[in-house]
Amino acid sequence: MILVTGGAGYIGSHTALSLLQNDEDVIIVDDFSNSDKRVLENLEKLTHKKIQFSELDCCDEQALEQVFIKHTISACIHFAGYKAVGESSKIPLEYYNNNITSTLIILKLLKKYNAKRFIFSSSATVYGSPETSPINETFPLSVTNPYGRSKLMVEDILRDIIAAEPDWSIGLLRYFNPIGAHESGLIGERPNGIPNNVMPYISMVGAGKLPCLPVFGNDYDTHDGTGVRDYIHVMDLAEGHVAMLAKISKEVGLSTYNLGTGQGYSVLDLVTQFEKVTGQKINYEIMPRRQGDIATCYADPQKALKELGWKTTRNLQTMIEDTWRFEQDSQGKSR
Ligand code: WQD
């Protein structure tokens, strides 16, 4: 059985769905600090399966150990964690405690219960301010905020573990910018309050819930001056985890992959495409650059293609259609 921490959250729920659709047995743990219980009902609707689930905080070792006692866990995919970059600079202690303590506890339990297989949600943020794009996995690592540092610290911990205990199987997945939702419109991203990330923001402007998109800078060295990123459909990302699980189920060692499309789009590209796909006008206003942002960041995803046989199949149009379907289906339900 695969333990999916944070399995009610955005990427966790889509990955749990992919795993279940691939006939894996899954147990989700989540404390609902940034997710909703209705996600579990919707996963049941989508899979026609009873979802195994335990409400707990992964920093609660005793509660988590009960899951290992009750179920035979063979691997863990660890999504549970805090993820707001700005907030991490305001409450670093909470970020380090939550993101690192939880990981240490899970690793300890995996070892104790003889299931040394672990997939970690890392982020392209560990590349800091890369000099060029596309970015491959050998690029230098650096970080500029506590959120990013918590990701890099866990990566370092995992590299130390594999050096000392080579019988672990570990996958480090560095996500670029996940957007979109499952095509059913039943699960998707539901940020609390005003979104930090650009696509949820655009979607709320499209739905009339926010008046205007702030565009952070139009003087970058990019084709239209606005920031360029590698937006990846969350279901493509989910399928990357299924491919990674296949690898760690048969091989020991640690391997690291970028999960991105290899294609960059600017903020204004998103706005234009969103208007075209949905027919909604997106008002925007050019604002000063956001601190810590870089001009361009997109992946070289070749390593994942070569070694995992994984590549993305959903284009920007599909990402926007699915974002919009979820936005409309969730109108009035919870925000
Ligand atoms: C994308 C582009 C902004 C909001 C962040 C984290 C990263 C990751 C994903 C998390 C940039 C511009 C944004 C807005 C805008 N991790 N923008 N107006 O910054 O690439 O990555 O989220 O778990 O670690 O750093 O994503 O969506 O915030 O920004 O113009 O209201 O959109 O300047 O160019 P980012 P983003």
Side-chain angles (χ1 to χ4, degrees):
M1 179 164 285
I2 313 298
L3 173 62
V4 179
T5 74
Y10 177 43
I11 306 172
S13 59
H14 291 79
T15 302
L17 177 61
S18 270
L19 292 167
L20 290 161
Q21 288 173 336
N22 278 276
D23 287 327
E24 295 285 353
D25 288 328
V26 167
I27 174 150
I28 288 175
V29 300
D30 204 297
D31 67 356
F32 299 112
S33 57
N34 190 20
S35 59
D36 193 310
K37 283 193 178 141
R38 275 169 297 181
V39 168
L40 301 175
E41 290 162 28
N42 288 332
L43 284 176
E44 293 194 339
K45 273 191 209 153
L46 288 168
T47 58
H48 307 290
K49 290 182 183 173
K50 179 99 194 87
I51 302 296
Q52 307 250 36
F53 159 72
S54 179
E55 180 169 355
L56 59 84
D57 173 349
C58 293
C59 291
D60 182 346
E61 183 172 344
Q62 281 181 349
L64 191 59
E65 183 155 17
Q66 287 306 312
V67 173
F68 281 78
I69 291 168
K70 280 199 202 112
H71 305 275
T72 307
I73 303 297
S74 57
C76 173
I77 310 183
H78 181 35
F79 296 101
Y82 294 158
K83 62 170 186 178
V85 173
E87 184 184 63
S88 77
S89 296
K90 297 193 184 105
I91 50 168
L93 186 56
E94 280 82 350
Y95 269 68
Y96 289 123
N97 186 45
N98 191 47
N99 292 1
I100 295 182
T101 309
S102 65
T103 310
L104 293 176
I105 288 172
I106 293 162
L107 292 168
K108 184 173 153 190
L109 291 170
L110 286 169
K111 184 171 170 174
K112 180 167 173 187
Y113 289 87
N114 204 19
K116 295 162 112 179
R117 292 185 207 91
F118 185 69
I119 297 176
F120 179 61
S121 298
S122 190
S123 167
T125 199
V126 299
Y127 295 116
S129 306
E131 303 227 318
T132 56
S133 279
I135 299 166
N136 70 46
E137 291 82 353
T138 66
F139 272 39
L141 305 179
S142 72
V143 284
T144 52
N145 57 70
Y147 161 75
R149 195 161 294 112
S150 76
K151 292 289 175 195
L152 187 52
M153 284 166 91
V154 170
E155 282 204 5
D156 284 336
I157 289 168
L158 293 169
R159 284 185 280 267
D160 285 344
I161 289 177
I162 204 77
E165 299 177 28
D167 61 334
W168 278 86
S169 300
I170 298 173
L172 296 186
L173 298 179
R174 295 181 181 150
Y175 312 153
F176 281 69
N177 290 56
I179 62 171
H182 186 255
E183 61 180 11
S184 63
L186 283 176
I187 55 171
E189 185 174 21
R190 220 183 284 281
N192 286 331
I194 294 181
N196 297 311
N197 297 117
V198 68
M199 188 45 105
Y201 207 115
I202 292 177
S203 173
M204 287 181 76
V205 174
K209 294 172 184 169
L210 289 169
C212 176
L213 170 75
V215 174
F216 297 137
N218 68 347
D219 55 355
Y220 286 108
D221 183 16
T222 62
H223 65 274
D224 61 17
T226 64
V228 167
R229 296 290 182 275
D230 187 335
Y231 298 95
I232 172 173
H233 195 295
V234 66
M235 285 307 298
D236 278 328
L237 191 65
E239 288 161 10
H241 293 77
V242 176
M244 187 78 241
L245 182 66
K247 184 175 166 79
I248 66 160
S249 301
K250 55 177 198 284
E251 287 171 25
V252 295
L254 179 149
S255 40
T256 305
Y257 298 100
N258 286 338
L259 297 184
T261 66
Q263 161 98 46
Y265 289 103
S266 73
V267 178
L268 292 183
D269 290 337
L270 293 188
V271 169
T272 309
Q273 271 285 330
F274 194 93
E275 289 182 333
K276 200 169 129 198
V277 169
T278 67
Q280 302 294 316
K281 175 100 189 82
I282 301 301
N283 294 319
Y284 66 85
E285 190 183 353
I286 305 296
M287 304 291 282
R289 291 181 178 194
R290 185 173 67 179
Q291 205 199 342
D293 273 354
I294 52 175
T296 301
C297 169
Y298 59 90
D300 174 352
Q302 289 309 310
K303 188 179 175 210
L305 175 62
K306 232 179 270 159
E307 297 182 16
L308 300 178
W310 171 89
K311 66 175 171 27
T312 59
T313 61
R314 296 158 179 94
N315 63 17
L316 185 61
Q317 181 177 336
T318 305
M319 297 184 219
I320 292 173
E321 283 167 355
D322 292 342
T323 301
W324 187 234
R325 188 178 303 109
F326 179 72
E327 176 68 51
Q328 291 184 304
D329 289 357
S330 62
Q331 288 264 10
K333 282 191 192 153
S334 74
R335 64 180 192 214

